[in-house]
Amino acid sequence: MKELTVRAYAKINLTLDVLRRRADGYHEVRMLMQRVSLCDDIVLSRQSGDISLRSNVAYLPCDSRNLAVRAAERFFDAAALGGEGVAIDLVKRIPVAAGLAGGSADAAAVLTGLNTLYGAPLSEERLMELGAALGADVPFCIAGGTMLAEGIGERLTRLPALPRTNVVLCKPPVSLSTAYVYSKIRCSRIRRRPDTAGALDALRAGDLAGVCRRMYNVMEDVAVQEHRAISDIKSAMLAAGADGAVMSGSGPTVAGLFSNRNAAEACACALSNTYRDVFCVETM
Ligand code: ATP
Protein backbone atom coordinates (compact mmCIF):
# COMPACT_ATOMS: atom_id res chain seq x y z
CA MET A 1 0.00 0.00 0.00
CA LYS A 2 1.39 3.44 -1.00
CA GLU A 3 -1.38 5.72 0.18
CA LEU A 4 -4.07 5.73 2.86
CA THR A 5 -6.89 8.16 3.72
CA VAL A 6 -7.84 8.40 7.39
CA ARG A 7 -10.33 10.46 9.36
CA ALA A 8 -9.41 12.34 12.52
CA TYR A 9 -12.50 12.72 14.72
CA ALA A 10 -13.12 15.50 17.25
CA LYS A 11 -14.10 14.90 20.87
CA ILE A 12 -16.40 16.68 23.27
CA ASN A 13 -16.47 16.60 27.05
CA LEU A 14 -19.80 15.50 28.50
CA THR A 15 -18.41 16.34 31.94
CA LEU A 16 -15.14 17.90 33.07
CA ASP A 17 -14.05 18.14 36.70
CA VAL A 18 -10.71 19.46 37.96
CA LEU A 19 -9.85 17.63 41.19
CA ARG A 20 -6.55 19.12 42.29
CA ARG A 21 -3.33 20.75 41.21
CA ARG A 22 -0.38 18.39 41.50
CA ALA A 23 3.05 19.38 42.79
CA ASP A 24 4.41 19.23 39.21
CA GLY A 25 1.86 21.87 38.11
CA TYR A 26 -0.41 19.51 36.15
CA HIS A 27 -4.06 19.29 37.14
CA GLU A 28 -5.78 16.06 37.98
CA VAL A 29 -9.06 15.78 36.11
CA ARG A 30 -12.04 13.46 35.83
CA MET A 31 -14.05 13.72 32.65
CA LEU A 32 -16.43 11.86 30.39
CA MET A 33 -15.27 12.15 26.80
CA GLN A 34 -17.20 11.36 23.65
CA ARG A 35 -16.10 11.06 20.01
CA VAL A 36 -18.24 13.00 17.51
CA SER A 37 -18.47 12.73 13.73
CA LEU A 38 -16.88 16.14 12.93
CA CYS A 39 -13.55 15.21 11.38
CA ASP A 40 -10.40 16.29 9.55
CA ASP A 41 -9.38 14.24 6.49
CA ILE A 42 -5.79 13.09 6.20
CA VAL A 43 -4.13 11.46 3.18
CA LEU A 44 -0.87 9.70 4.01
CA SER A 45 1.42 8.97 1.04
CA ARG A 46 4.62 7.02 1.56
CA GLN A 47 7.77 8.75 0.39
CA SER A 48 11.40 8.13 1.15
CA GLY A 49 13.42 10.34 3.45
CA ASP A 50 11.34 13.19 4.72
CA ILE A 51 8.06 14.05 6.42
CA SER A 52 6.12 16.87 4.78
CA LEU A 53 2.70 18.37 5.48
CA ARG A 54 0.35 20.66 3.64
CA SER A 55 -3.02 21.79 4.88
CA ASN A 56 -5.95 24.01 3.97
CA VAL A 57 -5.31 26.24 7.03
CA ALA A 58 -2.61 28.74 6.10
CA TYR A 59 -1.61 29.72 9.64
CA LEU A 60 -1.01 26.18 10.92
CA PRO A 61 2.69 25.26 11.11
CA CYS A 62 3.82 22.57 8.66
CA ASP A 63 6.93 21.51 10.57
CA SER A 64 7.46 19.63 13.86
CA ARG A 65 5.25 22.16 15.64
CA ASN A 66 2.34 20.45 13.90
CA LEU A 67 1.17 17.48 15.97
CA ALA A 68 0.55 15.43 12.81
CA VAL A 69 4.22 15.81 11.78
CA ARG A 70 5.43 15.09 15.31
CA ALA A 71 3.30 11.94 15.39
CA ALA A 72 4.91 10.74 12.13
CA GLU A 73 8.41 11.40 13.53
CA ARG A 74 7.63 9.40 16.68
CA PHE A 75 6.12 6.58 14.64
CA PHE A 76 9.15 6.15 12.35
CA ASP A 77 11.54 6.29 15.35
CA ALA A 78 9.56 3.76 17.38
CA ALA A 79 9.10 1.40 14.42
CA ALA A 80 12.81 1.74 13.49
CA LEU A 81 11.86 2.82 9.96
CA GLY A 82 14.69 5.38 9.70
CA GLY A 83 14.81 5.85 5.91
CA GLU A 84 11.05 6.21 5.50
CA GLY A 85 9.00 9.38 5.16
CA VAL A 86 5.44 10.47 4.46
CA ALA A 87 3.58 13.28 2.72
CA ILE A 88 0.65 14.33 4.90
CA ASP A 89 -2.24 16.12 3.22
CA LEU A 90 -4.47 17.57 5.94
CA VAL A 91 -7.94 18.96 5.32
CA LYS A 92 -9.00 20.60 8.57
CA ARG A 93 -12.66 21.01 9.46
CA ILE A 94 -12.28 20.85 13.24
CA PRO A 95 -11.82 24.45 14.44
CA VAL A 96 -8.33 25.08 15.84
CA ALA A 97 -7.83 25.80 19.58
CA ALA A 98 -11.50 25.17 20.21
CA GLY A 99 -11.59 22.53 22.98
CA LEU A 100 -12.34 19.81 20.43
CA ALA A 101 -8.87 18.17 20.47
CA GLY A 102 -8.32 18.80 16.77
CA GLY A 103 -4.52 18.58 16.93
CA SER A 104 -4.67 15.46 19.10
CA ALA A 105 -7.14 13.88 16.67
CA ASP A 106 -4.73 14.49 13.78
CA ALA A 107 -1.82 13.00 15.75
CA ALA A 108 -3.90 9.92 16.63
CA ALA A 109 -5.01 9.44 13.01
CA VAL A 110 -1.40 9.73 11.74
CA LEU A 111 -0.14 7.18 14.30
CA THR A 112 -2.84 4.60 13.52
CA GLY A 113 -2.79 5.36 9.78
CA LEU A 114 0.99 4.91 9.45
CA ASN A 115 0.76 1.71 11.47
CA THR A 116 -1.76 0.38 8.94
CA LEU A 117 0.29 1.63 5.97
CA TYR A 118 3.42 -0.17 7.21
CA GLY A 119 1.76 -3.50 8.11
CA ALA A 120 1.23 -2.95 11.86
CA PRO A 121 4.81 -2.92 13.23
CA LEU A 122 3.56 -1.42 16.53
CA SER A 123 1.01 -2.82 18.98
CA GLU A 124 -2.04 -0.75 19.95
CA GLU A 125 -0.51 -0.43 23.43
CA ARG A 126 2.68 1.05 21.96
CA LEU A 127 0.65 3.47 19.82
CA MET A 128 -1.16 4.60 22.99
CA GLU A 129 2.21 5.18 24.72
CA LEU A 130 3.49 7.24 21.79
CA GLY A 131 0.19 9.14 21.79
CA ALA A 132 0.35 9.93 25.52
CA ALA A 133 3.83 11.43 25.02
CA LEU A 134 2.43 13.72 22.30
CA GLY A 135 -0.53 15.04 24.32
CA ALA A 136 -2.96 14.03 27.05
CA ASP A 137 -5.92 13.79 24.63
CA VAL A 138 -4.15 11.67 21.99
CA PRO A 139 -4.83 8.26 23.65
CA PHE A 140 -8.54 9.08 23.77
CA CYS A 141 -8.46 10.08 20.11
CA ILE A 142 -6.85 6.70 19.26
CA ALA A 143 -9.42 4.75 21.29
CA GLY A 144 -12.58 6.77 20.48
CA GLY A 145 -16.10 5.98 21.67
CA THR A 146 -17.17 7.00 25.18
CA MET A 147 -14.51 7.05 27.89
CA LEU A 148 -13.85 8.09 31.46
CA ALA A 149 -10.52 9.95 31.53
CA GLU A 150 -8.64 10.40 34.79
CA GLY A 151 -5.15 11.38 35.94
CA ILE A 152 -4.09 14.24 33.66
CA GLY A 153 -6.54 12.85 31.11
CA GLU A 154 -4.39 9.98 29.90
CA ARG A 155 -5.86 7.21 32.13
CA LEU A 156 -8.80 5.84 30.19
CA THR A 157 -11.64 3.47 31.04
CA ARG A 158 -13.95 2.43 28.21
CA LEU A 159 -17.64 2.94 29.00
CA PRO A 160 -20.85 1.70 27.39
CA ALA A 161 -21.36 3.81 24.26
CA LEU A 162 -23.60 6.83 24.67
CA PRO A 163 -26.80 6.13 22.68
CA ARG A 164 -26.32 7.73 19.25
CA THR A 165 -27.57 11.30 19.27
CA ASN A 166 -27.32 14.64 17.44
CA VAL A 167 -24.74 17.19 18.50
CA VAL A 168 -24.66 20.88 17.61
CA LEU A 169 -21.23 22.43 18.00
CA CYS A 170 -20.78 26.19 18.05
CA LYS A 171 -17.48 28.02 18.54
CA PRO A 172 -17.71 31.74 19.21
CA PRO A 173 -14.92 33.80 17.58
CA VAL A 174 -12.88 34.19 20.77
CA SER A 175 -9.77 32.44 22.02
CA LEU A 176 -9.18 30.95 25.43
CA SER A 177 -5.84 29.32 26.12
CA THR A 178 -5.95 26.11 28.14
CA ALA A 179 -3.10 27.41 30.33
CA TYR A 180 -5.03 30.63 31.09
CA VAL A 181 -8.21 28.79 32.09
CA TYR A 182 -6.26 26.42 34.37
CA SER A 183 -4.41 29.35 35.92
CA LYS A 184 -7.74 30.86 36.97
CA ILE A 185 -9.13 27.70 38.57
CA ARG A 186 -8.87 27.38 42.35
CA CYS A 187 -9.86 23.80 43.10
CA SER A 188 -10.90 24.56 46.69
CA ARG A 189 -13.24 27.31 45.49
CA ILE A 190 -15.12 25.44 42.78
CA ARG A 191 -18.78 26.01 43.67
CA ARG A 192 -20.43 23.55 41.32
CA ARG A 193 -19.06 20.22 40.11
CA PRO A 194 -20.48 17.70 37.65
CA ASP A 195 -22.19 14.62 39.07
CA THR A 196 -19.78 12.25 37.33
CA ALA A 197 -20.93 9.19 39.31
CA GLY A 198 -24.57 9.90 38.40
CA ALA A 199 -23.63 10.42 34.74
CA LEU A 200 -21.75 7.09 34.78
CA ASP A 201 -24.81 5.30 36.21
CA ALA A 202 -27.00 6.91 33.54
CA LEU A 203 -24.57 5.81 30.83
CA ARG A 204 -24.55 2.24 32.10
CA ALA A 205 -28.38 2.28 32.09
CA GLY A 206 -28.44 3.62 28.51
CA ASP A 207 -30.28 6.68 29.87
CA LEU A 208 -29.36 9.46 27.43
CA ALA A 209 -31.58 12.06 29.15
CA GLY A 210 -29.93 11.21 32.49
CA VAL A 211 -26.48 11.83 30.99
CA CYS A 212 -27.64 15.10 29.38
CA ARG A 213 -29.05 16.40 32.66
CA ARG A 214 -25.64 15.89 34.28
CA MET A 215 -23.44 17.47 31.62
CA TYR A 216 -21.24 20.13 33.23
CA ASN A 217 -17.72 21.51 32.93
CA VAL A 218 -16.08 23.33 35.87
CA MET A 219 -14.08 25.45 33.39
CA GLU A 220 -17.28 27.13 32.22
CA ASP A 221 -17.35 29.55 35.16
CA VAL A 222 -13.93 30.95 34.24
CA ALA A 223 -14.63 30.96 30.51
CA VAL A 224 -18.01 32.68 30.77
CA GLN A 225 -16.51 35.50 32.84
CA GLU A 226 -14.17 36.18 29.92
CA HIS A 227 -16.66 35.65 27.09
CA ARG A 228 -20.40 36.05 27.54
CA ALA A 229 -20.96 34.48 24.11
CA ILE A 230 -20.35 31.06 25.67
CA SER A 231 -23.36 31.35 27.99
CA ASP A 232 -25.42 33.00 25.23
CA ILE A 233 -24.80 29.97 22.99
CA LYS A 234 -25.59 27.54 25.78
CA SER A 235 -28.88 29.33 26.56
CA ALA A 236 -29.79 29.42 22.86
CA MET A 237 -29.22 25.66 22.55
CA LEU A 238 -31.34 24.87 25.62
CA ALA A 239 -34.11 27.19 24.41
CA ALA A 240 -34.01 25.42 21.04
CA GLY A 241 -34.72 22.07 22.69
CA ALA A 242 -31.27 20.67 23.57
CA ASP A 243 -31.41 17.86 26.13
CA GLY A 244 -28.18 19.26 27.56
CA ALA A 245 -25.43 21.72 26.61
CA VAL A 246 -21.88 22.06 27.88
CA MET A 247 -18.63 23.81 27.00
CA SER A 248 -16.06 21.34 25.67
CA GLY A 249 -12.57 21.16 27.20
CA SER A 250 -11.14 24.58 27.98
CA GLY A 251 -13.52 26.07 25.42
CA PRO A 252 -14.74 28.06 23.81
CA THR A 253 -16.84 25.58 21.77
CA VAL A 254 -20.24 24.69 23.24
CA ALA A 255 -21.81 21.30 22.47
CA GLY A 256 -25.57 20.77 22.62
CA LEU A 257 -27.08 17.26 22.53
CA PHE A 258 -30.44 16.90 20.80
CA SER A 259 -32.44 13.67 20.60
CA ASN A 260 -34.58 15.42 17.95
CA ARG A 261 -32.74 15.81 14.61
CA ASN A 262 -35.03 18.57 13.31
CA ALA A 263 -34.53 20.63 16.46
CA ALA A 264 -30.73 20.19 16.14
CA GLU A 265 -30.75 21.33 12.52
CA ALA A 266 -32.98 24.32 13.29
CA CYS A 267 -30.72 25.31 16.19
CA ALA A 268 -27.56 25.03 14.02
CA CYS A 269 -29.24 27.09 11.32
CA ALA A 270 -30.25 29.84 13.78
CA LEU A 271 -26.77 29.95 15.39
CA SER A 272 -25.09 30.19 12.00
CA ASN A 273 -26.76 33.59 11.51
CA THR A 274 -24.46 34.88 14.25
CA TYR A 275 -21.50 32.47 14.36
CA ARG A 276 -19.32 31.07 11.58
CA ASP A 277 -18.14 27.82 13.21
CA VAL A 278 -21.39 25.86 13.64
CA PHE A 279 -21.74 22.13 12.93
CA CYS A 280 -24.60 19.65 13.22
CA VAL A 281 -23.00 16.22 13.76
CA GLU A 282 -23.56 12.99 15.71
CA THR A 283 -21.98 11.03 18.52
CA MET A 284 -19.91 8.05 17.40
P1 ATP B 1 -7.62 20.32 23.33
O1 ATP B 1 -9.12 20.17 23.28
O2 ATP B 1 -6.87 19.01 23.23
O3 ATP B 1 -7.13 21.23 24.41
P2 ATP B 1 -7.85 22.24 21.26
O4 ATP B 1 -9.01 21.76 20.42
O5 ATP B 1 -8.18 23.31 22.24
O6 ATP B 1 -7.19 21.02 21.95
P3 ATP B 1 -6.10 22.26 18.97
O7 ATP B 1 -7.04 22.51 17.83
O8 ATP B 1 -5.60 20.88 19.12
O9 ATP B 1 -6.72 22.80 20.33
O10 ATP B 1 -4.89 23.31 18.79
C1 ATP B 1 -4.10 23.74 19.86
C2 ATP B 1 -2.79 24.31 19.32
O11 ATP B 1 -2.06 23.25 18.70
C3 ATP B 1 -2.97 25.38 18.26
O12 ATP B 1 -2.42 26.55 18.76
C4 ATP B 1 -2.21 24.91 17.03
O13 ATP B 1 -1.33 25.89 16.51
C5 ATP B 1 -1.42 23.71 17.51
N1 ATP B 1 -1.45 22.59 16.53
C6 ATP B 1 -0.43 21.82 16.19
N2 ATP B 1 -0.79 20.89 15.29
C7 ATP B 1 -2.09 21.08 15.04
C8 ATP B 1 -3.03 20.44 14.18
N3 ATP B 1 -2.67 19.41 13.40
N4 ATP B 1 -4.29 20.89 14.20
C9 ATP B 1 -4.66 21.92 15.01
N5 ATP B 1 -3.80 22.57 15.81
C10 ATP B 1 -2.52 22.17 15.85
Side-chain angles (χ1 to χ4, degrees):
M1 211 188 315
K2 283 282 294 175
E3 193 179 283
L4 184 68
T5 302
V6 284
R7 288 186 164 166
Y9 291 102
K11 64 89 188 162
I12 58 170
N13 290 90
L14 301 171
T15 65
L16 195 163
D17 202 359
V18 182
L19 304 180
R20 68 183 185 97
R21 187 171 185 273
R22 304 194 314 197
D24 61 9
Y26 282 104
H27 285 83
E28 212 156 280
V29 294
R30 184 189 294 135
M31 49 198 187
L32 288 182
M33 300 171 84
Q34 173 65 48
R35 177 179 277 182
V36 295
S37 58
L38 176 66
C39 66
D40 295 342
D41 284 339
I42 299 178
V43 181
L44 301 168
S45 311
R46 284 169 73 151
Q47 64 184 14
S48 55
D50 69 327
I51 297 166
S52 58
L53 179 139
R54 63 172 192 192
S55 88
N56 59 331
V57 177
Y59 62 83
L60 267 189
C62 291
D63 54 19
S64 301
R65 287 169 298 166
N66 194 302
L67 275 170
V69 171
R70 220 176 304 151
E73 290 168 354
R74 300 285 167 88
F75 173 83
F76 288 128
D77 277 354
L81 290 164
E84 294 293 323
V86 64
I88 303 169
D89 198 342
L90 170 62
V91 176
K92 277 210 83 74
R93 289 192 209 90
I94 305 172
V96 175
L100 297 172
S104 302
D106 295 343
V110 167
L111 286 174
T112 53
L114 285 177
N115 205 39
T116 303
L117 205 50
Y118 283 88
L122 303 181
S123 65
E124 168 136 2
E125 197 186 346
R126 186 76 184 109
L127 290 178
M128 295 290 259
E129 277 170 20
L130 293 181
L134 287 162
D137 285 341
V138 181
F140 172 78
C141 291
I142 293 175
T146 309
M147 295 269 187
L148 173 68
E150 295 171 289
I152 59 164
E154 85 301 355
R155 220 168 63 224
L156 297 174
T157 308
R158 185 170 293 283
L159 300 170
L162 184 74
R164 201 181 176 96
T165 195
N166 306 288
V167 183
V168 175
L169 300 171
C170 178
K171 177 190 170 289
V174 297
S175 66
L176 262 174
S177 92
T178 305
Y180 175 79
V181 177
Y182 270 118
S183 76
K184 290 281 177 190
I185 286 194
R186 297 282 170 272
C187 293
S188 57
R189 291 203 206 137
I190 294 175
R191 283 170 296 160
R192 181 181 166 201
R193 291 182 180 274
D195 172 14
T196 312
L200 281 170
D201 286 345
L203 250 186
R204 291 189 183 109
D207 171 13
L208 178 61
V211 175
C212 288
R213 270 200 309 278
R214 294 177 175 88
M215 295 196 324
Y216 186 66
N217 175 349
V218 296
M219 293 186 168
E220 269 180 42
D221 270 355
V222 174
V224 164
Q225 277 172 31
E226 299 290 320
H227 302 292
R228 273 289 310 276
I230 294 166
S231 59
D232 292 347
I233 293 168
K234 193 168 163 171
S235 304
M237 287 177 172
L238 293 171
D243 304 297
V246 68
M247 187 181 83
S248 187
S250 57
T253 303
V254 181
L257 269 56
F258 290 77
S259 44
N260 182 315
R261 179 78 194 172
N262 290 338
E265 283 173 359
C267 176
C269 185
L271 285 169
S272 60
N273 289 324
T274 310
Y275 302 102
R276 202 193 55 179
D277 290 320
V278 181
F279 307 89
C280 189
V281 297
E282 291 182 336
T283 53
M284 287 185 79

